[in-house]
Structures are given as C-alpha cells and as structure tokens.
Amino acid sequence: MTIKMKRGALAALAAAGIALSGCASPSEATDAGSEELTEVTVAVSSKIAYFVPYLMEEHWGEFAAEGIDLKVEIAPAQDALVMLATGKLDAMVTGPSANLLNAVADGTNVKIVAPGGIEAADSVNGWYISKAALGDQEFDVSMLEGKTLASSSGVAGPPLLSLSQTLATEGLTLADVDIKSMKQADTVIAIENGAVFGGTASQPNTAVIEEADSGIFFARSAPEDYPSVNVWFGSTLLDDAPEVGQRFVQALHNTYMNRLQGDWLHNPENIDLISEVLETEVDVLKDIPSTLYPEEFSFPENFIESYEEAFRQIPGVLTYPEEDSLGSSVIDTRFMEKISSK
C-alpha cells in the first residue's frame, strides 16, 4: 500500500490551491489548514498531453488542495497494471486493454473510476500510413489487409477501437492486420522508412511526421466522445481508503474545471509551464488543439462492451468466455456519482 501521510511544507500548497480553486470547490473533507497530506502514487506511460492533469500538479496544486500529495511515476501500462494489482501503485491512467479486462475477469481488483480528456474534432493524433510503404499508390482502407501496423499501446486503448471501426468500412476486422507493439518514437522512424505500413502517433510525434511529410492520417486516436485515457484505481483507493479515492476524483474534477476548459493549452499562463513539463517546444504545442475535458463525469453507453467486441476480433486475446461480458462492472461509479450530486 503506497498511501501515506506527509507533514510540513505542502500544507501551504494546499492552502494556496484552495485560494486558486475558482469555480470548483474542494471537498468539505479537506481542511486547508491541515498539516498532513496523503501521499498517492499514480502511473502514466509518458510525458505527453494526455497526462497534463497529473504532470502539472507541481504548478497547479489542485490535488494538494484536496489533501493529496500526488506522486507521478512513468511506467508502461503493462508494468503499471502489475504494480496497481499488487498495491505498489494507488492509481494508473490508461485506456482499456485486453490485459486489463482479462485481469478484471480473473478477479484482480482494479476499476475505472473517472474519464480522461476527449480528443478535439481537429486533433491530429491517430493512425498514419507510411508514404514510403505506400509508394505511388493512392491509399484505400482495403490496403490494410495483411499489413503490419505499429501501436505504442499494442492491443489496447481507443486507437484499437477507432482502427476496428475504420477497418469495418471495408469489411475487415482487427484479425486482418498485424498489430505490433512499438514505442511511438520508433514508430515515427518506422513510418518514415517504410518498415511498417502504418502506426499510431500523437503530439509531439505527429509534428515530426508532418515535418518529414512521411505519413498520411487516416483514423482518429479515439472514437468521437470517447475518453483517450481513464483513471483506474486499485484496492488501496477502492477499499482500504475510499475517502482518499473520493478526494482524488474531486481533485481531478477541480483540475478539469479550473485549469482545462476552453483553449487551455494555448493560455499564455499555461503554455510555457506545460512546455517545460512535457519537455516539448512551445512552437510544437501551439499547433496542438486543446483536449476537451468534461464538466460532468460519465462514459459512453456500452463503453466496455465496445472494447470487448473489438478485442474479440483477434482470436485468443480475451481469455474469458464471450457470454461472461464484463459490461459496466469494470466501472466503479460511486466516486463520480458523489461529484455529480454536488
């Protein structure tokens, strides 16, 4: 269990966070004058825009305002799942994967508790075809049959869902392509030299593809209205300290409302700090549309079922029977419901 109490200087940050809280109010459970913060450890996979709500905590202090000393670890989703399941992490931020759904079906106590941001309509994050692999041909979705496509998340997340929807327009399924797990930086190189037929990229890597004119965008990184990532809790926040879990979700909602509405990324007060935290040039960030963060926490209808349907297109990926669909049991709504009831 990683949750622990920390005394001292962070109490001042908590008070400062409350003073800056704006339209969303900290929960009544937190006293701004408290000398204790609860340390909570959350894992994200990399320093990219999807994880700004957590990576910017040192500047924004929204979690501290709810009595949480947020620690962020960078870890691949598959490693984070193991740490979350064994209590070495309190939370992780990622999209649904076959591994996660299999783990839940096997009895691992991990649940989705809140949505992440939603890609803007003009987002350039998504799937790209390699111009080198395409040659002189004009791209058509039917060409994807039998081809190798690279994804940093492997058989996981919204990119697989949007890919399956795109393939369906030509009567294809995920079984008709070879999904290769590859780091995004390597994917960009593989797209440029034609080592793969296509792959996923998000900013700032999409800027590299654009500058090199090496790829053609053909599908979003997530279906419309689907969150790009979600917050997952393990047993420490679900069962051992649900009151801390509630403060975490409240802090996340406060972050969305106070910091991430409108064109938040290009706000002069934000962009230099975000550039520093993401280790990305300001000029690159200027070309990225601001992700949309929901004012109300909810998920699309049949959210988990849509992932199950996509993953089952690849034989053997989901290890539990089709009739044992997990459905909404993967989502623990109690934390979101308390936010909505205020």
Side-chain angles (χ1 to χ4, degrees):
M1 181 173 176
T2 65
I3 293 178
K4 60 185 180 181
M5 303 304 293
K6 181 175 181 179
R7 297 178 179 271
L10 282 171
L13 181 56
I18 290 175
L20 294 170
S21 63
C23 59
S25 300
S27 68
E28 295 177 0
T30 303
D31 178 0
S34 173
E35 293 184 356
E36 294 185 340
L37 294 181
T38 306
E39 184 176 300
V40 175
T41 305
V42 60
V44 301
S45 62
S46 57
K47 292 184 178 182
I48 58 176
Y50 292 146
F51 306 119
V52 161
Y54 314 94
L55 297 172
M56 284 293 289
E57 168 62 11
E58 62 179 302
H59 299 291
W60 290 345
E62 296 286 359
F63 286 86
E66 288 295 325
I68 290 175
D69 175 25
L70 189 70
K71 302 298 184 185
V72 180
E73 291 195 10
I74 308 296
Q78 59 268 30
D79 295 341
L81 170 58
V82 174
M83 291 189 288
L84 186 66
T86 56
K88 294 179 182 178
L89 284 174
D90 303 309
M92 65 183 290
V93 187
T94 187
S97 69
N99 285 341
L100 274 162
L101 296 185
N102 287 333
V104 172
D106 287 341
T108 302
N109 190 21
V110 295
K111 302 283 186 182
I112 296 174
V113 298
I118 297 169
E119 291 285 350
D122 57 345
S123 173
V124 294
N125 295 338
W127 290 92
Y128 286 80
I129 290 299
S130 166
K131 286 188 175 182
L134 191 61
D136 295 330
Q137 304 175 85
E138 183 177 348
F139 173 67
D140 183 86
V141 172
S142 64
M143 294 178 179
L144 294 172
E145 185 172 8
K147 299 298 193 301
T148 297
L149 304 175
S151 172
S152 59
S153 54
V155 183
L160 263 289
L161 198 54
S162 58
L163 177 61
S164 71
Q165 293 175 352
T166 301
L167 289 168
T169 63
E170 290 294 332
L172 303 174
T173 73
L174 293 176
D176 294 310
V177 296
D178 178 22
I179 306 295
K180 183 175 183 179
S181 182
M182 184 181 293
K183 292 181 179 179
Q184 203 166 112
D186 295 334
T187 296
V188 171
I189 296 171
I191 287 173
E192 186 168 353
N193 61 30
V196 294
F197 195 72
T200 57
S202 58
Q203 288 283 12
N205 292 305
T206 54
V208 179
I209 293 175
E210 182 179 359
E211 183 176 352
D213 192 26
S214 58
I216 300 170
F217 179 89
F218 75 91
R220 289 168 53 92
S221 63
E224 289 187 17
D225 299 326
Y226 268 60
S228 298
V229 291
N230 311 292
V231 181
W232 296 73
F233 281 175
S235 60
T236 57
L237 296 181
L238 290 171
D239 300 325
D240 299 335
E243 71 284 355
V244 178
Q246 188 63 57
R247 286 193 275 127
F248 184 104
V249 175
Q250 179 68 60
L252 185 63
H253 186 259
N254 293 350
T255 304
Y256 288 7
M257 294 297 294
N258 300 337
R259 311 288 180 171
L260 299 170
Q261 295 300 306
D263 192 16
W264 58 268
L265 179 56
H266 306 121
N267 185 324
E269 295 180 4
N270 284 337
I271 195 164
D272 288 334
L273 288 175
I274 293 175
S275 170
E276 177 185 333
V277 168
L278 297 185
E279 300 173 359
T280 302
E281 294 294 330
V282 170
D283 287 344
V284 172
L285 294 181
K286 287 179 178 177
D287 292 331
I288 304 174
S290 295
T291 300
L292 308 177
Y293 282 90
E295 296 183 16
E296 295 183 6
F297 282 177
S298 64
F299 288 91
E301 188 176 357
N302 297 320
F303 181 69
I304 295 300
E305 291 90 338
S306 63
Y307 280 99
E308 289 178 319
E309 182 180 350
F311 295 152
R312 289 198 187 281
Q313 293 174 11
I314 308 175
V317 167
L318 290 183
T319 56
Y320 56 94
E322 187 170 352
E323 59 269 21
D324 294 342
S325 171
L326 299 177
S328 59
S329 66
V330 179
I331 303 174
D332 189 328
T333 62
R334 57 184 155 143
F335 304 102
M336 296 187 295
E337 287 170 352
K338 285 189 177 181
I339 300 294
S340 299
S341 65
K342 289 189 176 182

